[in-house]
Amino acid sequence: MKLVKAVLAASIGAIIASSSVQAKQLTIGFSQIGAESEWRTANTNDVKEAAKAHNVNLKFSDAQQKQENQIKAIRTFIAQKVDLIGLVPIVATGWDNILREAKRAKIPVLIVDRDLTVSDPSLYVAKIGTDSYAEGQKVYKWIDDYVKANNVKPRNGGDKLNIVILEGTVGASATTGRGNGFNDAMKADPDGAKKFNILASQTGDFTRQKGQEVMESFLKSNRNDIDILFAMNDDMALGAVQAIEAAGLKPSKDIIIVSVDGVKGIFQAMIDGKTNATVECNPLQGELFFQTAEKVLKGESVPKSVFVEEGVYTADKAAEVFPSRKY
């Protein structure tokens, strides 16, 4: 009987211990990079809504596009002894020291959306979000398929289609990943260099205003030579549309436009006949983030990279898909 009681007591203790994470309200610190685009706003809103659904005490910090603000926020989270920290890194490097501080404090860190580069991968538990390299590959494949299907010819009468690229923030993993994915896909295509020429590539900092300004610069130099625009996010593409129209050209017709994100604004632009396609970068990552956080805090193992699902959407399907878009 004593043995049975001892086993029963041990079992009850184990059950209580395993449910302790659920029993108390979790406090999680979340460092967001800012609000540079429609996509980022949707990402932020989704994280906040998911926090409520999971009954999490969320300490949210907007870094206003500055890494130093993110480092300060993480240091504050550590001082507050939060249970876990979520970080959307504005750039890929410069995180080792602050992540070591979190590790010394025994606070696990989940990276969200973007990637980072650290000397010791154990400084963070896992990365939640999107595959920017695959997004860049999808952009190239869509362009290649589209020009073949529509027999697109260079506007200047040359033998190659000229592509201009609006890059994202310098040093951001989304910029690097999408750029590398696109370039590698073009190199892997035996005829890629014969069909396409990268005429110009410059950062638009993931903002609509900078996208417009840089596209204006491209058009001043190469108005009659640009055939295709690859914008690394939708907001820059929407800014570029304004520049193209101001230059007396027709966006989506004179200049083919493909971008990344999949926000409602770009779907409306496709419906209006002003852009051609968008490769989805799904901002709805809140549920996956908190599910993963709860697993980590229960001591369960999780994959080092956890990706959300993403698709490719084209102008001919935009009106059909638009009503179901959540961002």
Side-chain angles (χ1 to χ4, degrees):
M1 181 63 75
K2 288 183 178 179
L3 179 60
V4 173
K5 287 182 178 179
V7 171
L8 183 59
S11 299
I12 293 171
I15 292 170
I16 292 171
S18 67
S19 63
S20 61
V21 170
Q22 294 176 332
K24 73 158 190 164
Q25 184 182 39
L26 297 178
T27 297
I28 292 179
F30 195 94
S31 175
Q32 179 64 280
I33 63 175
E36 80 285 1
S37 63
E38 278 188 62
W39 190 98
R40 186 63 55 195
T41 300
N43 181 240
T44 291
N45 291 341
D46 190 62
V47 168
K48 290 180 176 179
E49 288 171 10
K52 291 178 183 177
H54 283 257
N55 191 32
V56 167
N57 176 23
L58 182 69
K59 295 186 178 297
F60 185 89
S61 175
D62 181 333
Q64 300 180 338
Q65 312 298 126
K66 294 180 181 179
Q67 185 179 29
E68 57 265 33
N69 289 345
Q70 292 198 282
I71 291 171
K72 288 177 185 175
I74 295 171
R75 199 159 277 141
T76 298
F77 296 152
I78 293 169
Q80 293 171 334
K81 297 181 179 180
V82 299
D83 295 299
L84 181 141
I85 293 170
L87 167 64
V88 182
I90 187 166
V91 293
T93 59
W95 302 103
D96 286 62
N97 290 339
I98 190 64
L99 293 184
R100 283 195 190 96
E101 291 181 33
K103 188 175 182 180
R104 282 196 294 269
K106 294 182 169 41
I107 300 174
V109 176
L110 290 178
I111 306 305
V112 185
D113 176 35
R114 297 184 177 182
D115 297 307
L116 47 62
T117 303
V118 289
S119 59
D120 177 6
S122 73
L123 291 175
Y124 68 94
V125 179
K127 182 265 173 109
I128 311 297
T130 58
D131 188 342
S132 57
Y133 183 84
E135 290 160 2
Q137 290 179 308
K138 289 175 185 176
V139 168
Y140 179 81
K141 184 180 186 305
W142 180 85
I143 290 173
D144 192 40
D145 290 345
Y146 183 86
V147 299
K148 285 177 184 174
N150 294 277
N151 195 29
V152 177
K153 302 295 183 185
R155 288 198 302 125
N156 64 6
D159 57 358
K160 292 183 182 181
L161 291 164
N162 285 313
I163 300 172
V164 293
I165 301 175
L166 286 172
E167 302 171 16
T169 303
V170 175
S173 66
T175 302
T176 304
R178 289 168 192 169
N180 288 343
F182 182 87
N183 291 331
D184 288 351
M186 184 170 166
K187 289 174 186 175
D189 180 352
D191 298 320
K194 297 176 185 176
K195 296 180 289 190
F196 302 109
N197 173 55
I198 307 300
L199 187 63
S201 185
Q202 187 176 325
T203 180
D205 210 25
F206 283 136
T207 68
R208 191 172 304 197
Q209 182 178 344
K210 285 294 292 293
Q212 180 178 351
E213 291 171 2
V214 176
M215 193 66 200
E216 286 171 353
S217 175
F218 288 164
L219 288 163
K220 283 179 183 177
S221 303
N222 301 286
R223 183 187 183 280
N224 298 318
D225 298 316
I226 301 169
D227 300 299
I228 300 164
L229 166 65
F230 164 28
M232 290 193 183
N233 83 340
D234 291 339
D235 276 71
M236 291 189 296
L238 293 170
V241 164
Q242 294 176 279
I244 293 167
E245 290 179 325
L249 296 172
K250 293 181 180 179
S252 87
K253 295 177 176 62
D254 292 323
I255 298 176
I256 297 161
I257 301 174
V258 56
S259 53
V260 181
D261 275 354
V263 300
K264 282 186 175 180
I266 208 72
F267 275 84
Q268 188 61 57
M270 287 192 287
I271 291 168
D272 294 340
K274 295 186 177 183
T275 66
N276 303 84
T278 184
V279 172
E280 186 178 35
C281 176
N282 190 344
L284 306 181
Q285 303 169 15
E287 179 63 25
L288 186 59
F289 169 72
F290 289 109
Q291 285 179 356
T292 306
E294 288 169 354
K295 287 180 181 179
V296 168
L297 292 170
K298 289 176 185 175
E300 298 177 21
S301 62
V302 297
K304 197 67 174 176
S305 295
V306 186
F307 296 128
V308 290
E309 293 184 9
E310 300 175 310
V312 178
Y313 298 96
T314 53
D316 59 326
K317 300 291 185 183
E320 177 186 337
V321 175
F322 183 77
S324 66
R325 299 302 289 171
K326 294 181 180 179
Y327 54 90

